[in-house]
Amino acid sequence: VSNDGADKAVDIAIIGGGPAGLTAALYAARGGAHTTVFERGVLGGQITTTDRIENYPAFPEGIGGGELGELMARQAETHGAKIVPFVEITKLTQLDDGTFELTDEYDTHYARSVIIATGAVPKLLEIDGEAEYTGRGVSWCSTCDGAFYRGKVIAVIGGGNAALEEALFLTKFARRVYLVHRREAFRAETVHVDRAQAHEAIEFVTPFAPLKIVGDGSKVTGLHIEHVEHGTTDVLEIDGVFEYVGTCPQSTVAESLLTPDEYGYLDVQTDGSTDIPGLFCAGDVTTAPLKQVVTAAGAGAVAGFSALRFLEQQALQQ
Ligand SMILES: Cc1cc2nc3c(=O)[nH]c(=O)nc-3n(C[C@H](O)[C@H](O)[C@H](O)COP(=O)(O)OP(=O)(O)OC[C@H]3O[C@@H](n4cnc5c(N)ncnc54)[C@H](O)[C@@H]3O)c2cc1C
């Protein structure tokens, strides 16, 4: 993957080198547009934080998250996209003639169309052991990782709809699910709470706050918890922790041109377009209901295609 700097002016600039951005780049570059992807970190986005992706089509044995990201990047490059890792776009504005201006720490770039594919990051608990065991027992994605816990004991942390829904989903695999929440009351809808309470595999552990995650050096073995009112502590013997204490969409760079919803997600039309002509969004940063690699890649393809069409229409008008 090249990192020898970006061209100053391109047809399509893509912010974010995760599945959405890299697939948008594949479609845009393959469609003949001069395309650059800016990625602030490692290519591949969130999938680089997981060992194995088992639900992306065409890989019957699964594929490593990092490897999949690398393959997506290589495929986009093969078709002519320029990929620039370790460059964070900090500002996005639009000039009077419609050209977009993208600013990073050192430079300014220009593009006729922009695709925002900046994704989201799970909110962290920020407790001991969390970073050490990420991908080795600590997860934020039950759809992705639930199957690894068949017959095992896990803890789900959180009190919103996501935590309750995922706890219920995880009972398909785990024989016991501790639902750890720092309050007696739940933010989740009553229907979810009632269903979870009625489920024999789910045990409510409230009002307890997670203190630290412990393990044997290679995998999680326990979760230390503290009673929020009494201060008493306990240890849950578990094989995995699923954290659902919220997500942080990475939409800050869009805020000069678009207004995110109350949770920070960007609203888009089904073709990825926004209220600003030439500005498109795709993937986890949007309000899309399912946040997975396959949906991010699909949305990236749509946004890449729509950006190409926008450029064609612009050319016809000139
Ligand atoms: C631990 C974990 C395991 C998962 N497992 C699976 C799984 O097994 N199967 C599955 O389908 N899904 C899985 N997911 C979900 C999946 O990873 C996401 O749905 C998908 O990566 C979303 O792709 P995206 O391109 O929209 O966003 P992201 O993957 O979040 O990529 C966005 C990229 O944009 C970059 N970026 C953000 N802001 C800027 C900026 N200002 N300038 C430059 N770059 C920027 C970020 O660094 C990031 O690389 C998992 C998620 C996690 C956290």
Side-chain angles (χ1 to χ4, degrees):
V1 169
S2 67
N3 60 359
D4 55 347
D7 297 336
K8 287 278 176 207
V10 296
D11 294 327
I12 300 175
I14 297 168
I15 311 175
L22 293 173
T23 312
L26 169 64
Y27 275 70
R30 194 162 176 269
H34 188 182
T35 303
T36 294
V37 180
F38 298 97
E39 166 55 53
R40 70 179 173 197
V42 183
L43 290 169
Q46 291 169 63
I47 50 171
T48 58
T49 67
T50 190
D51 243 16
R52 209 120 199 104
I53 304 284
E54 288 187 334
N55 55 359
Y56 189 74
F59 298 99
E61 314 304 328
I63 181 166
E67 189 187 355
L68 182 58
E70 181 62 36
L71 287 172
M72 286 181 175
R74 213 196 305 158
Q75 192 171 1
E77 279 202 316
T78 300
H79 290 279
K82 182 150 202 160
I83 298 176
V84 189
F86 305 111
V87 170
E88 177 166 16
I89 300 302
T90 50
K91 198 165 147 209
L92 174 66
T93 51
Q94 198 174 24
L95 307 179
D96 288 345
D97 68 355
T99 303
F100 293 93
E101 190 177 71
L102 301 91
T103 312
D104 66 45
E105 196 184 348
Y106 305 104
D107 235 330
T108 304
H109 316 271
Y110 298 92
R112 292 164 62 202
S113 177
V114 168
I115 298 171
I116 297 172
T118 44
V121 294
K123 227 179 243 169
L124 304 182
L125 289 169
E126 292 178 355
I127 57 174
D128 283 353
E130 183 182 52
E132 187 183 348
Y133 288 104
T134 293
R136 298 187 296 157
V138 178
S139 174
W140 292 266
C141 182
S142 63
T143 317
C144 328
D145 298 332
F148 297 124
Y149 295 92
R150 218 173 279 279
K152 300 203 169 167
V153 180
I154 57 167
V156 169
I157 300 172
N161 278 337
L164 275 287
E165 282 177 37
E166 300 306 325
L168 281 159
F169 173 74
L170 285 161
T171 59
K172 290 185 184 193
F173 312 104
R175 70 183 151 86
R176 181 137 249 18
V177 177
Y178 293 114
L179 184 64
V180 181
H181 181 41
R182 54 185 309 121
R183 295 185 190 85
E184 295 287 5
F186 284 83
R187 271 175 292 118
E189 290 167 54
T190 316
V191 59
H192 297 310
V193 180
D194 290 348
R195 282 181 56 214
Q197 261 163 349
H199 202 294
E200 57 184 16
I202 298 180
E203 185 176 325
F204 280 48
V205 183
T206 61
F208 276 92
L211 280 185
K212 79 174 167 186
I213 295 159
V214 292
D216 61 8
S218 66
K219 59 179 181 348
V220 165
T221 56
L223 174 69
H224 289 237
I225 52 172
E226 180 181 45
H227 195 283
V228 172
E229 287 151 17
H230 309 144
T232 50
T233 57
D234 205 345
V235 184
L236 300 174
E237 286 181 21
I238 50 161
D239 302 293
V241 186
F242 286 78
E243 299 182 7
Y244 292 102
V245 293
T247 53
C248 303
Q250 303 294 285
S251 55
T252 321
V253 74
E255 279 171 9
S256 50
L257 296 175
L258 301 173
T259 308
D261 74 5
E262 58 180 309
Y263 305 106
Y265 293 98
L266 301 171
D267 218 356
V268 286
Q269 302 300 315
T270 48
D271 65 353
S273 64
T274 66
D275 290 343
I276 311 263
L279 183 60
F280 301 87
C281 305
D284 278 20
V285 74
T286 72
T287 52
L290 180 64
K291 294 183 170 37
Q292 291 278 276
V293 180
V294 70
T295 47
V302 172
F305 171 78
S306 298
L308 284 172
R309 206 164 48 180
F310 168 79
L311 295 181
E312 280 162 20
Q313 282 162 0
Q314 222 187 25
L316 285 176
Q317 284 160 13
Q318 280 165 1

